[in-house]
Short mmCIF file of all heavy atoms in Angstrom, two decimals:
data_model
loop_
_atom_site.label_atom_id
_atom_site.label_comp_id
_atom_site.label_asym_id
_atom_site.label_seq_id
_atom_site.Cartn_x
_atom_site.Cartn_y
_atom_site.Cartn_z
N ASN A 1 42.75 44.97 20.44
CA ASN A 1 42.29 43.81 19.68
C ASN A 1 41.52 44.23 18.43
O ASN A 1 41.64 43.58 17.39
CB ASN A 1 41.44 42.90 20.55
CG ASN A 1 42.22 42.17 21.57
OD1 ASN A 1 43.44 42.00 21.48
ND2 ASN A 1 41.56 41.69 22.62
N ILE A 2 40.75 45.31 18.50
CA ILE A 2 40.04 45.81 17.35
C ILE A 2 41.02 46.38 16.34
O ILE A 2 40.91 46.12 15.14
CB ILE A 2 38.97 46.85 17.78
CG1 ILE A 2 37.81 46.14 18.53
CG2 ILE A 2 38.45 47.61 16.56
CD1 ILE A 2 36.80 47.13 19.11
N LEU A 3 42.01 47.14 16.84
CA LEU A 3 43.00 47.69 15.93
C LEU A 3 43.75 46.61 15.16
O LEU A 3 44.11 46.77 14.01
CB LEU A 3 44.01 48.54 16.70
CG LEU A 3 43.49 49.84 17.37
CD1 LEU A 3 44.56 50.44 18.23
CD2 LEU A 3 42.97 50.84 16.35
N GLY A 4 44.01 45.48 15.84
CA GLY A 4 44.73 44.41 15.23
C GLY A 4 43.94 43.39 14.44
O GLY A 4 44.46 42.46 13.90
N GLY A 5 42.62 43.64 14.34
CA GLY A 5 41.75 42.72 13.61
C GLY A 5 41.50 41.39 14.32
O GLY A 5 41.06 40.43 13.70
N LEU A 6 41.74 41.36 15.63
CA LEU A 6 41.42 40.16 16.41
C LEU A 6 39.97 40.20 16.89
O LEU A 6 39.41 39.14 17.26
CB LEU A 6 42.34 40.05 17.66
CG LEU A 6 43.81 39.76 17.36
CD1 LEU A 6 44.60 39.79 18.66
CD2 LEU A 6 43.98 38.39 16.67
N ASP A 7 39.39 41.36 16.92
CA ASP A 7 38.00 41.54 17.34
C ASP A 7 37.37 42.57 16.43
O ASP A 7 38.08 43.33 15.73
CB ASP A 7 37.93 41.98 18.80
CG ASP A 7 36.55 41.84 19.42
OD1 ASP A 7 35.67 41.28 18.74
OD2 ASP A 7 36.36 42.27 20.58
N ARG A 8 36.05 42.62 16.39
CA ARG A 8 35.31 43.54 15.56
C ARG A 8 34.55 44.54 16.45
O ARG A 8 34.05 44.15 17.49
CB ARG A 8 34.29 42.82 14.70
CG ARG A 8 34.87 41.78 13.74
CD ARG A 8 33.73 41.01 13.12
NE ARG A 8 34.20 39.96 12.25
CZ ARG A 8 34.46 40.09 10.94
NH1 ARG A 8 34.27 41.31 10.41
NH2 ARG A 8 34.89 39.10 10.23
N PRO A 9 34.48 45.78 16.05
CA PRO A 9 33.65 46.74 16.78
C PRO A 9 32.17 46.44 16.60
O PRO A 9 31.75 45.94 15.55
CB PRO A 9 34.01 48.11 16.19
CG PRO A 9 34.44 47.78 14.79
CD PRO A 9 35.10 46.44 14.85
N SER A 10 31.38 46.64 17.65
CA SER A 10 29.92 46.51 17.50
C SER A 10 29.38 47.64 16.61
O SER A 10 28.37 47.46 15.90
CB SER A 10 29.24 46.59 18.90
OG SER A 10 29.73 45.60 19.71
N SER A 11 30.02 48.78 16.64
CA SER A 11 29.69 49.93 15.77
C SER A 11 30.94 50.77 15.65
O SER A 11 31.89 50.63 16.40
CB SER A 11 28.49 50.72 16.31
OG SER A 11 28.81 51.27 17.59
N GLY A 12 30.89 51.66 14.68
CA GLY A 12 32.02 52.53 14.41
C GLY A 12 32.78 52.02 13.19
O GLY A 12 32.43 51.03 12.56
N ARG A 13 33.86 52.74 12.86
CA ARG A 13 34.57 52.45 11.62
C ARG A 13 36.07 52.41 11.89
O ARG A 13 36.64 53.27 12.53
CB ARG A 13 34.31 53.57 10.60
CG ARG A 13 34.83 53.35 9.21
CD ARG A 13 34.19 54.37 8.26
NE ARG A 13 34.66 54.20 6.89
CZ ARG A 13 35.59 54.96 6.30
NH1 ARG A 13 36.11 55.98 7.00
NH2 ARG A 13 35.99 54.76 5.06
N LEU A 14 36.73 51.35 11.35
CA LEU A 14 38.19 51.20 11.46
C LEU A 14 38.75 51.16 10.01
O LEU A 14 38.25 50.40 9.19
CB LEU A 14 38.55 49.94 12.20
CG LEU A 14 40.08 49.63 12.28
CD1 LEU A 14 40.76 50.65 13.18
CD2 LEU A 14 40.30 48.20 12.77
N THR A 15 39.78 52.00 9.76
CA THR A 15 40.39 51.98 8.45
C THR A 15 41.88 51.79 8.61
O THR A 15 42.51 52.21 9.56
CB THR A 15 40.13 53.31 7.71
OG1 THR A 15 40.65 54.41 8.47
CG2 THR A 15 38.63 53.51 7.45
N HIS A 16 42.44 51.07 7.62
CA HIS A 16 43.87 50.89 7.49
C HIS A 16 44.34 51.61 6.24
O HIS A 16 43.99 51.22 5.12
CB HIS A 16 44.21 49.39 7.41
CG HIS A 16 45.65 49.12 7.02
ND1 HIS A 16 45.96 48.47 5.85
CD2 HIS A 16 46.79 49.46 7.62
CE1 HIS A 16 47.28 48.41 5.76
NE2 HIS A 16 47.81 49.00 6.81
N ARG A 17 45.06 52.68 6.44
CA ARG A 17 45.52 53.57 5.34
C ARG A 17 44.36 53.88 4.34
O ARG A 17 44.48 53.78 3.15
CB ARG A 17 46.68 52.91 4.59
CG ARG A 17 47.94 52.80 5.45
CD ARG A 17 49.16 52.51 4.62
NE ARG A 17 50.37 52.48 5.44
CZ ARG A 17 51.10 53.55 5.83
NH1 ARG A 17 50.72 54.73 5.47
NH2 ARG A 17 52.19 53.37 6.55
N GLY A 18 43.24 54.19 4.96
CA GLY A 18 42.06 54.60 4.17
C GLY A 18 41.16 53.47 3.75
O GLY A 18 40.07 53.72 3.26
N GLU A 19 41.60 52.26 3.90
CA GLU A 19 40.77 51.09 3.47
C GLU A 19 39.90 50.66 4.66
O GLU A 19 40.39 50.38 5.75
CB GLU A 19 41.66 49.93 3.04
CG GLU A 19 40.87 48.73 2.60
CD GLU A 19 41.76 47.59 2.12
OE1 GLU A 19 43.00 47.82 2.00
OE2 GLU A 19 41.25 46.45 1.94
N ASP A 20 38.61 50.57 4.44
CA ASP A 20 37.66 50.25 5.51
C ASP A 20 37.73 48.78 5.86
O ASP A 20 37.57 47.91 5.02
CB ASP A 20 36.23 50.61 5.06
CG ASP A 20 35.25 50.61 6.19
OD1 ASP A 20 35.60 50.18 7.30
OD2 ASP A 20 34.09 51.04 5.98
N LEU A 21 38.05 48.51 7.17
CA LEU A 21 38.08 47.15 7.65
C LEU A 21 36.82 46.76 8.41
O LEU A 21 36.70 45.59 8.85
CB LEU A 21 39.28 46.97 8.60
CG LEU A 21 40.70 47.14 7.98
CD1 LEU A 21 41.76 46.98 9.07
CD2 LEU A 21 40.94 46.10 6.88
N SER A 22 35.93 47.68 8.57
CA SER A 22 34.75 47.46 9.43
C SER A 22 33.92 46.28 8.96
O SER A 22 33.36 45.51 9.75
CB SER A 22 33.91 48.71 9.52
OG SER A 22 34.66 49.82 9.91
N GLY A 23 33.79 46.13 7.65
CA GLY A 23 32.98 45.05 7.12
C GLY A 23 33.78 43.84 6.61
O GLY A 23 33.23 42.98 5.92
N ALA A 24 35.07 43.80 6.97
CA ALA A 24 35.93 42.71 6.49
C ALA A 24 35.48 41.39 7.06
O ALA A 24 35.08 41.28 8.23
CB ALA A 24 37.37 43.00 6.82
N ASP A 25 35.58 40.33 6.26
CA ASP A 25 35.23 39.00 6.75
C ASP A 25 36.46 38.36 7.37
O ASP A 25 37.56 38.99 7.39
CB ASP A 25 34.64 38.11 5.65
CG ASP A 25 35.58 37.87 4.47
OD1 ASP A 25 36.81 38.01 4.67
OD2 ASP A 25 35.11 37.57 3.36
N GLU A 26 36.35 37.15 7.93
CA GLU A 26 37.45 36.55 8.64
C GLU A 26 38.68 36.35 7.74
O GLU A 26 39.83 36.54 8.19
CB GLU A 26 37.02 35.23 9.24
CG GLU A 26 36.18 35.36 10.52
CD GLU A 26 36.88 36.16 11.63
OE1 GLU A 26 38.13 36.00 11.77
OE2 GLU A 26 36.23 36.96 12.32
N ALA A 27 38.44 35.94 6.53
CA ALA A 27 39.58 35.72 5.60
C ALA A 27 40.29 37.03 5.34
O ALA A 27 41.57 37.06 5.29
CB ALA A 27 39.08 35.12 4.29
N GLU A 28 39.58 38.12 5.17
CA GLU A 28 40.22 39.42 4.90
C GLU A 28 40.98 39.91 6.15
O GLU A 28 42.06 40.47 6.00
CB GLU A 28 39.16 40.43 4.47
CG GLU A 28 38.56 40.13 3.09
CD GLU A 28 37.34 40.94 2.80
OE1 GLU A 28 36.59 41.28 3.73
OE2 GLU A 28 37.08 41.23 1.60
N LEU A 29 40.38 39.71 7.32
CA LEU A 29 41.08 40.11 8.55
C LEU A 29 42.36 39.29 8.77
O LEU A 29 43.40 39.77 9.25
CB LEU A 29 40.17 39.98 9.77
CG LEU A 29 39.07 41.02 9.85
CD1 LEU A 29 38.16 40.71 11.07
CD2 LEU A 29 39.61 42.42 9.96
N THR A 30 42.29 37.99 8.43
CA THR A 30 43.46 37.15 8.52
C THR A 30 44.59 37.63 7.62
O THR A 30 45.77 37.73 8.02
CB THR A 30 43.14 35.68 8.19
OG1 THR A 30 42.20 35.19 9.12
CG2 THR A 30 44.38 34.79 8.21
N LEU A 31 44.26 38.01 6.42
CA LEU A 31 45.24 38.56 5.47
C LEU A 31 45.82 39.87 6.02
O LEU A 31 47.02 40.13 5.88
CB LEU A 31 44.64 38.76 4.10
CG LEU A 31 44.35 37.46 3.31
CD1 LEU A 31 43.62 37.79 2.03
CD2 LEU A 31 45.64 36.72 3.01
N PHE A 32 44.96 40.71 6.57
CA PHE A 32 45.42 41.98 7.15
C PHE A 32 46.42 41.74 8.26
O PHE A 32 47.51 42.34 8.27
CB PHE A 32 44.22 42.79 7.68
CG PHE A 32 44.54 43.90 8.62
CD1 PHE A 32 45.22 45.03 8.15
CD2 PHE A 32 44.20 43.81 9.96
CE1 PHE A 32 45.56 46.04 9.02
CE2 PHE A 32 44.52 44.85 10.83
CZ PHE A 32 45.19 45.97 10.38
N ARG A 33 46.05 40.81 9.20
CA ARG A 33 46.99 40.55 10.32
C ARG A 33 48.28 39.96 9.79
O ARG A 33 49.37 40.33 10.26
CB ARG A 33 46.31 39.55 11.27
CG ARG A 33 45.13 40.13 12.03
CD ARG A 33 44.71 39.21 13.16
NE ARG A 33 44.29 37.87 12.72
CZ ARG A 33 43.06 37.49 12.44
NH1 ARG A 33 42.07 38.38 12.55
NH2 ARG A 33 42.80 36.27 12.05
N ARG A 34 48.21 39.03 8.85
CA ARG A 34 49.40 38.37 8.38
C ARG A 34 50.33 39.32 7.68
O ARG A 34 51.55 39.28 7.84
CB ARG A 34 48.99 37.24 7.41
CG ARG A 34 50.17 36.43 6.88
CD ARG A 34 49.68 35.31 6.00
NE ARG A 34 48.85 34.34 6.72
CZ ARG A 34 48.23 33.32 6.14
NH1 ARG A 34 48.25 33.16 4.82
NH2 ARG A 34 47.48 32.52 6.85
#
């Protein structure tokens, strides 16, 4: 769920092709999933 942007980690860092998703807001995560 964290890999797919359905949930957020409490700590740590997730990147998609080098782009940091850790601080993405809901709109940005929705665009990533879509």
Side-chain angles (χ1 to χ4, degrees):
N1 288 340
I2 289 173
L3 295 174
L6 291 175
D7 196 5
R8 300 170 183 272
S10 303
S11 61
R13 187 167 181 259
L14 177 68
T15 59
H16 168 244
R17 295 196 177 274
E19 181 179 350
D20 193 352
L21 296 177
S22 306
D25 61 24
E26 282 303 322
E28 291 167 331
L29 288 177
T30 297
L31 288 174
F32 164 68
R33 293 192 299 266
R34 183 178 297 173

